[in-house]
Amino acid sequence: MKYRQLTKEQFESLHQEFALFLATQSIDVNEWNLIKEEKKQVAKDVMCVFSDVVWDDVLNKTKYVEHFSKTSVNLFKCDENEIYRIAIKINWDINLLEQKGFEWLMKNPMDNSVDIFKGSKSYNTDRNIEIFDLIEKGSSLSKGEIFEYFNKLIS
């Protein structure tokens, strides 16, 4: 397995897509029910393959991810061959996880208590695996507005 199996909730939300996936494998609903009952490992393998297909589709489309903690933000732009990072660290007691703290940062990005670092690197392994690793470590997909805002500020 390339990534990880989708959660039960993710499978439920992708019920129609999974049914289509099974159809492309020439597996109808009756056969799927039989596989689940009598061939549990085969059912698990099919679910793992579907999970990888879904993750690859999502990750191929991913352009930005971000990770917020109480006093720092990591913003990533994921190009085809390189990943760009803007790291922001707040040097006083503020909580960026709360609306008030986030709004303060957006209004005061050049405050003396704000350190901003920028860098980039080529992917060490497969692009999608590196982005998936960021997601597994708590990052979330984004539209990139915050990355682009800070990128313009520091460029």
Side-chain angles (χ1 to χ4, degrees), residues 1-7 10-19 21 46-62 128 132 135 141:
M1 178 157 214
K2 192 173 178 182
Y3 306 108
R4 70 161 165 77
Q5 187 171 318
L6 298 171
T7 64
Q10 289 168 325
F11 267 109
E12 288 171 357
S13 70
L14 295 168
H15 175 78
Q16 287 182 311
E17 290 83 354
F18 186 60
F21 174 78
V46 169
M47 293 170 73
C48 288
V49 170
F50 178 73
S51 295
D52 279 349
V53 168
V54 169
W55 277 115
D56 265 332
D57 184 51
V58 168
L59 296 167
N60 284 337
K61 295 174 185 173
T62 298
N128 287 359
F132 180 77
I135 292 168
L141 305 179

Side-chain angles (χ1 to χ4, degrees), residues 28-65:
D28 65 20
V29 75
N30 293 330
E31 187 176 356
W32 176 244
N33 288 331
L34 190 64
I35 291 170
K36 286 193 305 186
E37 299 241 345
E38 297 178 5
K39 300 176 183 174
K40 293 188 186 313
Q41 186 57 48
V42 172
K44 183 179 180 190
D45 292 346
V46 169
M47 293 170 73
C48 288
V49 170
F50 178 73
S51 295
D52 279 349
V53 168
V54 169
W55 277 115
D56 265 332
D57 184 51
V58 168
L59 296 167
N60 284 337
K61 295 174 185 173
T62 298
K63 300 291 181 214
Y64 297 93
V65 294

Side-chain angles (χ1 to χ4, degrees), residues 4-140:
R4 70 161 165 77
Q5 187 171 318
L6 298 171
T7 64
K8 181 181 179 195
E9 293 78 18
Q10 289 168 325
F11 267 109
E12 288 171 357
S13 70
L14 295 168
H15 175 78
Q16 287 182 311
E17 290 83 354
F18 186 60
L20 288 172
F21 174 78
L22 291 175
T24 66
Q25 307 300 309
S26 301
I27 300 172
D28 65 20
V29 75
N30 293 330
E31 187 176 356
W32 176 244
N33 288 331
L34 190 64
I35 291 170
K36 286 193 305 186
E37 299 241 345
E38 297 178 5
K39 300 176 183 174
K40 293 188 186 313
Q41 186 57 48
V42 172
K44 183 179 180 190
D45 292 346
V46 169
M47 293 170 73
C48 288
V49 170
F50 178 73
S51 295
D52 279 349
V53 168
V54 169
W55 277 115
D56 265 332
D57 184 51
V58 168
L59 296 167
N60 284 337
K61 295 174 185 173
T62 298
K63 300 291 181 214
Y64 297 93
V65 294
E66 56 193 27
H67 185 272
F68 281 80
S69 69
K70 186 176 177 185
T71 59
S72 66
V73 181
N74 284 285
L75 308 168
F76 301 93
K77 181 178 181 180
C78 310
D79 282 352
E80 188 174 329
N81 298 311
E82 199 167 7
I83 188 164
Y84 301 88
R85 178 183 180 197
I86 298 174
I88 303 164
K89 174 84 173 124
I90 310 298
N91 298 308
W92 65 283
D93 191 26
I94 190 170
N95 189 348
L96 297 172
L97 298 173
E98 295 176 351
Q99 186 69 27
K100 181 179 169 184
F102 175 74
E103 287 174 358
W104 179 90
L105 173 62
M106 297 306 283
K107 290 177 184 168
N108 303 283
M110 304 313 280
D111 189 89
N112 287 337
S113 65
V114 179
D115 292 328
I116 303 175
F117 307 96
K118 182 179 178 181
S120 66
K121 72 172 189 78
S122 298
Y123 297 104
N124 292 327
T125 58
D126 177 80
R127 174 192 182 274
N128 287 359
I129 288 176
E130 288 196 33
I131 297 170
F132 180 77
D133 187 52
L134 289 171
I135 292 168
E136 288 294 283
K137 291 177 178 171
S139 294
S140 53

